[in-house]
PDB file of all heavy atoms in Angstrom:
ATOM      1  N   GLY A   1       0.820  -1.200   0.000  1.00 97.00           N
ATOM      2  CA  GLY A   1       0.000   0.000   0.000  1.00 97.00           C
ATOM      3  C   GLY A   1       0.850   1.245   0.000  1.00 97.00           C
ATOM      4  O   GLY A   1       2.058   1.196  -0.252  1.00 97.00           O
ATOM      5  N   LEU A   2       0.188   2.351   0.290  1.00 98.00           N
ATOM      6  CA  LEU A   2       0.837   3.664   0.348  1.00 98.00           C
ATOM      7  C   LEU A   2       1.115   4.019   1.802  1.00 98.00           C
ATOM      8  O   LEU A   2       0.204   3.923   2.648  1.00 98.00           O
ATOM      9  CB  LEU A   2      -0.062   4.719  -0.290  1.00 98.00           C
ATOM     10  CG  LEU A   2       0.392   6.170  -0.184  1.00 98.00           C
ATOM     11  CD1 LEU A   2       1.704   6.378  -0.945  1.00 98.00           C
ATOM     12  CD2 LEU A   2      -0.699   7.104  -0.715  1.00 98.00           C
ATOM     13  N   VAL A   3       2.339   4.420   2.090  1.00 98.00           N
ATOM     14  CA  VAL A   3       2.715   4.775   3.455  1.00 98.00           C
ATOM     15  C   VAL A   3       3.650   5.980   3.406  1.00 98.00           C
ATOM     16  O   VAL A   3       4.391   6.159   2.434  1.00 98.00           O
ATOM     17  CB  VAL A   3       3.381   3.572   4.162  1.00 98.00           C
ATOM     18  CG1 VAL A   3       4.677   3.175   3.471  1.00 98.00           C
ATOM     19  CG2 VAL A   3       3.608   3.844   5.636  1.00 98.00           C
ATOM     20  N   GLN A   4       3.606   6.786   4.443  1.00 98.00           N
ATOM     21  CA  GLN A   4       4.473   7.959   4.511  1.00 98.00           C
ATOM     22  C   GLN A   4       5.887   7.559   4.932  1.00 98.00           C
ATOM     23  O   GLN A   4       6.070   6.529   5.609  1.00 98.00           O
ATOM     24  CB  GLN A   4       3.907   8.973   5.495  1.00 98.00           C
ATOM     25  CG  GLN A   4       2.611   9.613   5.040  1.00 98.00           C
ATOM     26  CD  GLN A   4       2.178  10.738   5.969  1.00 98.00           C
ATOM     27  OE1 GLN A   4       2.624  10.834   7.110  1.00 98.00           O
ATOM     28  NE2 GLN A   4       1.307  11.596   5.469  1.00 98.00           N
ATOM     29  N   PRO A   5       6.869   8.350   4.558  1.00 98.00           N
ATOM     30  CA  PRO A   5       8.236   8.078   5.025  1.00 98.00           C
ATOM     31  C   PRO A   5       8.281   7.974   6.546  1.00 98.00           C
ATOM     32  O   PRO A   5       7.636   8.765   7.252  1.00 98.00           O
ATOM     33  CB  PRO A   5       9.027   9.287   4.523  1.00 98.00           C
ATOM     34  CG  PRO A   5       8.273   9.737   3.315  1.00 98.00           C
ATOM     35  CD  PRO A   5       6.822   9.499   3.633  1.00 98.00           C
ATOM     36  N   GLY A   6       9.026   6.981   7.023  1.00 98.00           N
ATOM     37  CA  GLY A   6       9.108   6.733   8.455  1.00 98.00           C
ATOM     38  C   GLY A   6       8.060   5.758   8.965  1.00 98.00           C
ATOM     39  O   GLY A   6       8.140   5.312  10.120  1.00 98.00           O
ATOM     40  N   GLY A   7       7.097   5.425   8.135  1.00 98.00           N
ATOM     41  CA  GLY A   7       6.030   4.520   8.530  1.00 98.00           C
ATOM     42  C   GLY A   7       6.408   3.063   8.421  1.00 98.00           C
ATOM     43  O   GLY A   7       7.558   2.721   8.091  1.00 98.00           O
ATOM     44  N   SER A   8       5.421   2.210   8.696  1.00 98.00           N
ATOM     45  CA  SER A   8       5.640   0.761   8.698  1.00 98.00           C
ATOM     46  C   SER A   8       4.547   0.050   7.905  1.00 98.00           C
ATOM     47  O   SER A   8       3.418   0.555   7.784  1.00 98.00           O
ATOM     48  CB  SER A   8       5.622   0.222  10.139  1.00 98.00           C
ATOM     49  OG  SER A   8       6.666   0.773  10.909  1.00 98.00           O
ATOM     50  N   LEU A   9       4.922  -1.091   7.380  1.00 98.00           N
ATOM     51  CA  LEU A   9       3.981  -2.001   6.727  1.00 98.00           C
ATOM     52  C   LEU A   9       4.418  -3.430   7.025  1.00 98.00           C
ATOM     53  O   LEU A   9       5.617  -3.678   7.227  1.00 98.00           O
ATOM     54  CB  LEU A   9       3.962  -1.809   5.205  1.00 98.00           C
ATOM     55  CG  LEU A   9       3.167  -0.670   4.580  1.00 98.00           C
ATOM     56  CD1 LEU A   9       3.397  -0.646   3.075  1.00 98.00           C
ATOM     57  CD2 LEU A   9       1.693  -0.768   4.899  1.00 98.00           C
ATOM     58  N   ARG A  10       3.458  -4.335   7.010  1.00 98.00           N
ATOM     59  CA  ARG A  10       3.795  -5.751   7.117  1.00 98.00           C
ATOM     60  C   ARG A  10       3.227  -6.491   5.913  1.00 98.00           C
ATOM     61  O   ARG A  10       2.010  -6.471   5.684  1.00 98.00           O
ATOM     62  CB  ARG A  10       3.269  -6.379   8.403  1.00 98.00           C
ATOM     63  CG  ARG A  10       3.808  -7.807   8.594  1.00 98.00           C
ATOM     64  CD  ARG A  10       3.394  -8.442   9.902  1.00 98.00           C
ATOM     65  NE  ARG A  10       2.047  -8.999   9.855  1.00 98.00           N
ATOM     66  CZ  ARG A  10       1.635  -9.990  10.627  1.00 98.00           C
ATOM     67  NH1 ARG A  10       2.474 -10.551  11.507  1.00 98.00           N
ATOM     68  NH2 ARG A  10       0.395 -10.424  10.552  1.00 98.00           N
ATOM     69  N   LEU A  11       4.105  -7.124   5.176  1.00 98.00           N
ATOM     70  CA  LEU A  11       3.698  -7.942   4.044  1.00 98.00           C
ATOM     71  C   LEU A  11       3.542  -9.395   4.482  1.00 98.00           C
ATOM     72  O   LEU A  11       4.272  -9.868   5.361  1.00 98.00           O
ATOM     73  CB  LEU A  11       4.729  -7.863   2.920  1.00 98.00           C
ATOM     74  CG  LEU A  11       5.112  -6.472   2.422  1.00 98.00           C
ATOM     75  CD1 LEU A  11       6.100  -6.585   1.263  1.00 98.00           C
ATOM     76  CD2 LEU A  11       3.895  -5.671   2.021  1.00 98.00           C
ATOM     77  N   SER A  12       2.602 -10.076   3.846  1.00 98.00           N
ATOM     78  CA  SER A  12       2.390 -11.500   4.098  1.00 98.00           C
ATOM     79  C   SER A  12       2.433 -12.258   2.779  1.00 98.00           C
ATOM     80  O   SER A  12       2.060 -11.721   1.739  1.00 98.00           O
ATOM     81  CB  SER A  12       1.036 -11.737   4.763  1.00 98.00           C
ATOM     82  OG  SER A  12       0.931 -11.056   5.987  1.00 98.00           O
ATOM     83  N   CYS A  13       2.857 -13.493   2.847  1.00 98.00           N
ATOM     84  CA  CYS A  13       2.869 -14.366   1.669  1.00 98.00           C
ATOM     85  C   CYS A  13       2.433 -15.752   2.122  1.00 98.00           C
ATOM     86  O   CYS A  13       3.117 -16.378   2.944  1.00 98.00           O
ATOM     87  CB  CYS A  13       4.246 -14.408   1.045  1.00 98.00           C
ATOM     88  SG  CYS A  13       4.438 -15.650  -0.268  1.00 98.00           S
ATOM     89  N   VAL A  14       1.299 -16.186   1.588  1.00 98.00           N
ATOM     90  CA  VAL A  14       0.773 -17.507   1.921  1.00 98.00           C
ATOM     91  C   VAL A  14       1.096 -18.470   0.786  1.00 98.00           C
ATOM     92  O   VAL A  14       0.809 -18.177  -0.385  1.00 98.00           O
ATOM     93  CB  VAL A  14      -0.743 -17.459   2.151  1.00 98.00           C
ATOM     94  CG1 VAL A  14      -1.260 -18.834   2.506  1.00 98.00           C
ATOM     95  CG2 VAL A  14      -1.084 -16.459   3.254  1.00 98.00           C
ATOM     96  N   ALA A  15       1.673 -19.600   1.140  1.00 98.00           N
ATOM     97  CA  ALA A  15       2.075 -20.592   0.146  1.00 98.00           C
ATOM     98  C   ALA A  15       1.166 -21.807   0.195  1.00 98.00           C
ATOM     99  O   ALA A  15       0.697 -22.202   1.272  1.00 98.00           O
ATOM    100  CB  ALA A  15       3.516 -21.021   0.396  1.00 98.00           C
ATOM    101  N   SER A  16       0.937 -22.402  -0.968  1.00 97.00           N
ATOM    102  CA  SER A  16       0.197 -23.660  -1.060  1.00 97.00           C
ATOM    103  C   SER A  16       0.850 -24.524  -2.138  1.00 97.00           C
ATOM    104  O   SER A  16       1.533 -24.017  -3.024  1.00 97.00           O
ATOM    105  CB  SER A  16      -1.270 -23.406  -1.375  1.00 97.00           C
ATOM    106  OG  SER A  16      -1.410 -22.723  -2.603  1.00 97.00           O
ATOM    107  N   GLY A  17       0.646 -25.823  -2.012  1.00 96.00           N
ATOM    108  CA  GLY A  17       1.195 -26.739  -3.012  1.00 96.00           C
ATOM    109  C   GLY A  17       2.613 -27.200  -2.724  1.00 96.00           C
ATOM    110  O   GLY A  17       3.201 -27.903  -3.556  1.00 96.00           O
ATOM    111  N   ILE A  18       3.176 -26.772  -1.597  1.00 94.00           N
ATOM    112  CA  ILE A  18       4.510 -27.203  -1.187  1.00 94.00           C
ATOM    113  C   ILE A  18       4.480 -27.580   0.290  1.00 94.00           C
ATOM    114  O   ILE A  18       3.544 -27.222   1.007  1.00 94.00           O
ATOM    115  CB  ILE A  18       5.578 -26.100  -1.392  1.00 94.00           C
ATOM    116  CG1 ILE A  18       5.247 -24.844  -0.572  1.00 94.00           C
ATOM    117  CG2 ILE A  18       5.733 -25.767  -2.866  1.00 94.00           C
ATOM    118  CD1 ILE A  18       6.333 -23.780  -0.586  1.00 94.00           C
ATOM    119  N   ILE A  19       5.513 -28.306   0.712  1.00 94.00           N
ATOM    120  CA  ILE A  19       5.699 -28.539   2.145  1.00 94.00           C
ATOM    121  C   ILE A  19       6.461 -27.321   2.662  1.00 94.00           C
ATOM    122  O   ILE A  19       7.680 -27.220   2.515  1.00 94.00           O
ATOM    123  CB  ILE A  19       6.462 -29.841   2.407  1.00 94.00           C
ATOM    124  CG1 ILE A  19       5.688 -31.017   1.821  1.00 94.00           C
ATOM    125  CG2 ILE A  19       6.684 -30.036   3.916  1.00 94.00           C
ATOM    126  CD1 ILE A  19       6.420 -32.348   1.899  1.00 94.00           C
ATOM    127  N   PHE A  20       5.711 -26.385   3.222  1.00 95.00           N
ATOM    128  CA  PHE A  20       6.250 -25.053   3.532  1.00 95.00           C
ATOM    129  C   PHE A  20       7.482 -25.134   4.416  1.00 95.00           C
ATOM    130  O   PHE A  20       8.446 -24.394   4.208  1.00 95.00           O
ATOM    131  CB  PHE A  20       5.159 -24.219   4.205  1.00 95.00           C
ATOM    132  CG  PHE A  20       5.557 -22.799   4.470  1.00 95.00           C
ATOM    133  CD1 PHE A  20       5.523 -21.862   3.445  1.00 95.00           C
ATOM    134  CD2 PHE A  20       5.966 -22.385   5.739  1.00 95.00           C
ATOM    135  CE1 PHE A  20       5.893 -20.547   3.679  1.00 95.00           C
ATOM    136  CE2 PHE A  20       6.332 -21.083   5.979  1.00 95.00           C
ATOM    137  CZ  PHE A  20       6.298 -20.154   4.949  1.00 95.00           C
ATOM    138  N   SER A  21       7.476 -26.028   5.397  1.00 95.00           N
ATOM    139  CA  SER A  21       8.600 -26.103   6.333  1.00 95.00           C
ATOM    140  C   SER A  21       9.883 -26.571   5.651  1.00 95.00           C
ATOM    141  O   SER A  21      10.968 -26.421   6.218  1.00 95.00           O
ATOM    142  CB  SER A  21       8.253 -27.044   7.489  1.00 95.00           C
ATOM    143  OG  SER A  21       7.953 -28.339   7.001  1.00 95.00           O
ATOM    144  N   SER A  22       9.786 -27.089   4.448  1.00 95.00           N
ATOM    145  CA  SER A  22      10.949 -27.557   3.699  1.00 95.00           C
ATOM    146  C   SER A  22      11.419 -26.545   2.659  1.00 95.00           C
ATOM    147  O   SER A  22      12.312 -26.851   1.854  1.00 95.00           O
ATOM    148  CB  SER A  22      10.634 -28.880   2.987  1.00 95.00           C
ATOM    149  OG  SER A  22      10.336 -29.903   3.923  1.00 95.00           O
ATOM    150  N   ALA A  23      10.827 -25.364   2.649  1.00 97.00           N
ATOM    151  CA  ALA A  23      11.163 -24.350   1.653  1.00 97.00           C
ATOM    152  C   ALA A  23      11.908 -23.187   2.289  1.00 97.00           C
ATOM    153  O   ALA A  23      11.525 -22.705   3.359  1.00 97.00           O
ATOM    154  CB  ALA A  23       9.900 -23.839   0.979  1.00 97.00           C
ATOM    155  N   THR A  24      12.950 -22.753   1.617  1.00 97.00           N
ATOM    156  CA  THR A  24      13.575 -21.484   1.984  1.00 97.00           C
ATOM    157  C   THR A  24      12.734 -20.368   1.383  1.00 97.00           C
ATOM    158  O   THR A  24      12.402 -20.409   0.196  1.00 97.00           O
ATOM    159  CB  THR A  24      15.013 -21.404   1.454  1.00 97.00           C
ATOM    160  OG1 THR A  24      15.835 -22.315   2.195  1.00 97.00           O
ATOM    161  CG2 THR A  24      15.586 -20.006   1.607  1.00 97.00           C
ATOM    162  N   MET A  25      12.377 -19.396   2.205  1.00 98.00           N
ATOM    163  CA  MET A  25      11.467 -18.329   1.766  1.00 98.00           C
ATOM    164  C   MET A  25      12.199 -16.993   1.728  1.00 98.00           C
ATOM    165  O   MET A  25      12.990 -16.682   2.620  1.00 98.00           O
ATOM    166  CB  MET A  25      10.284 -18.235   2.712  1.00 98.00           C
ATOM    167  CG  MET A  25       9.446 -19.504   2.797  1.00 98.00           C
ATOM    168  SD  MET A  25       8.760 -20.005   1.210  1.00 98.00           S
ATOM    169  CE  MET A  25       7.709 -18.604   0.817  1.00 98.00           C
ATOM    170  N   GLY A  26      11.895 -16.234   0.696  1.00 98.00           N
ATOM    171  CA  GLY A  26      12.558 -14.945   0.562  1.00 98.00           C
ATOM    172  C   GLY A  26      11.632 -13.866   0.036  1.00 98.00           C
ATOM    173  O   GLY A  26      10.559 -14.149  -0.507  1.00 98.00           O
ATOM    174  N   TRP A  27      12.058 -12.633   0.245  1.00 98.00           N
ATOM    175  CA  TRP A  27      11.391 -11.463  -0.315  1.00 98.00           C
ATOM    176  C   TRP A  27      12.364 -10.749  -1.239  1.00 98.00           C
ATOM    177  O   TRP A  27      13.537 -10.547  -0.888  1.00 98.00           O
ATOM    178  CB  TRP A  27      10.939 -10.503   0.787  1.00 98.00           C
ATOM    179  CG  TRP A  27       9.769 -10.990   1.577  1.00 98.00           C
ATOM    180  CD1 TRP A  27       9.808 -11.645   2.780  1.00 98.00           C
ATOM    181  CD2 TRP A  27       8.390 -10.857   1.223  1.00 98.00           C
ATOM    182  NE1 TRP A  27       8.532 -11.939   3.195  1.00 98.00           N
ATOM    183  CE2 TRP A  27       7.633 -11.458   2.262  1.00 98.00           C
ATOM    184  CE3 TRP A  27       7.706 -10.299   0.146  1.00 98.00           C
ATOM    185  CZ2 TRP A  27       6.244 -11.497   2.248  1.00 98.00           C
ATOM    186  CZ3 TRP A  27       6.329 -10.341   0.136  1.00 98.00           C
ATOM    187  CH2 TRP A  27       5.604 -10.935   1.168  1.00 98.00           C
ATOM    188  N   PHE A  28      11.856 -10.372  -2.389  1.00 98.00           N
ATOM    189  CA  PHE A  28      12.600  -9.598  -3.370  1.00 98.00           C
ATOM    190  C   PHE A  28      11.796  -8.350  -3.693  1.00 98.00           C
ATOM    191  O   PHE A  28      10.603  -8.267  -3.379  1.00 98.00           O
ATOM    192  CB  PHE A  28      12.813 -10.412  -4.647  1.00 98.00           C
ATOM    193  CG  PHE A  28      13.752 -11.570  -4.495  1.00 98.00           C
ATOM    194  CD1 PHE A  28      13.390 -12.705  -3.783  1.00 98.00           C
ATOM    195  CD2 PHE A  28      15.015 -11.553  -5.082  1.00 98.00           C
ATOM    196  CE1 PHE A  28      14.252 -13.781  -3.633  1.00 98.00           C
ATOM    197  CE2 PHE A  28      15.887 -12.624  -4.948  1.00 98.00           C
ATOM    198  CZ  PHE A  28      15.500 -13.732  -4.227  1.00 98.00           C
ATOM    199  N   ARG A  29      12.428  -7.400  -4.343  1.00 98.00           N
ATOM    200  CA  ARG A  29      11.688  -6.213  -4.773  1.00 98.00           C
ATOM    201  C   ARG A  29      12.263  -5.705  -6.081  1.00 98.00           C
ATOM    202  O   ARG A  29      13.441  -5.930  -6.397  1.00 98.00           O
ATOM    203  CB  ARG A  29      11.727  -5.115  -3.707  1.00 98.00           C
ATOM    204  CG  ARG A  29      13.101  -4.481  -3.479  1.00 98.00           C
ATOM    205  CD  ARG A  29      13.030  -3.512  -2.325  1.00 98.00           C
ATOM    206  NE  ARG A  29      14.322  -2.858  -2.098  1.00 98.00           N
ATOM    207  CZ  ARG A  29      14.557  -2.043  -1.065  1.00 98.00           C
ATOM    208  NH1 ARG A  29      13.604  -1.785  -0.176  1.00 98.00           N
ATOM    209  NH2 ARG A  29      15.750  -1.495  -0.928  1.00 98.00           N
ATOM    210  N   GLN A  30      11.403  -4.999  -6.806  1.00 98.00           N
ATOM    211  CA  GLN A  30      11.816  -4.371  -8.055  1.00 98.00           C
ATOM    212  C   GLN A  30      11.256  -2.966  -8.099  1.00 98.00           C
ATOM    213  O   GLN A  30      10.034  -2.772  -8.203  1.00 98.00           O
ATOM    214  CB  GLN A  30      11.329  -5.174  -9.262  1.00 98.00           C
ATOM    215  CG  GLN A  30      11.886  -4.680 -10.585  1.00 98.00           C
ATOM    216  CD  GLN A  30      11.691  -5.690 -11.706  1.00 98.00           C
ATOM    217  OE1 GLN A  30      10.932  -6.657 -11.575  1.00 98.00           O
ATOM    218  NE2 GLN A  30      12.382  -5.492 -12.809  1.00 98.00           N
ATOM    219  N   GLY A  31      12.162  -2.003  -7.985  1.00 96.00           N
ATOM    220  CA  GLY A  31      11.761  -0.608  -8.044  1.00 96.00           C
ATOM    221  C   GLY A  31      11.645  -0.121  -9.471  1.00 96.00           C
ATOM    222  O   GLY A  31      12.097  -0.788 -10.406  1.00 96.00           O
ATOM    223  N   PRO A  32      11.071   1.059  -9.673  1.00 92.00           N
ATOM    224  CA  PRO A  32      10.897   1.612 -11.017  1.00 92.00           C
ATOM    225  C   PRO A  32      12.231   1.733 -11.749  1.00 92.00           C
ATOM    226  O   PRO A  32      13.164   2.369 -11.237  1.00 92.00           O
ATOM    227  CB  PRO A  32      10.282   2.983 -10.755  1.00 92.00           C
ATOM    228  CG  PRO A  32       9.698   2.908  -9.399  1.00 92.00           C
ATOM    229  CD  PRO A  32      10.539   1.945  -8.630  1.00 92.00           C
TER     230      PRO A  32
END
């Protein structure tokens, strides 16, 4: 979402179709 500088957000990612505890999980980003 939209947040002001200095603010906070929490992202979530729900997985299905895998044994989640056996997966290495990561976050990536792509800026403009």
Side-chain angles (χ1 to χ4, degrees):
L2 174 64
V3 63
Q4 292 187 341
S8 297
L9 280 176
R10 188 176 81 154
L11 306 182
S12 301
C13 171
V14 181
S16 60
I18 60 173
I19 300 174
F20 185 80
S21 59
S22 297
T24 289
M25 300 301 298
W27 287 96
F28 291 72
R29 68 185 181 186
Q30 188 165 13

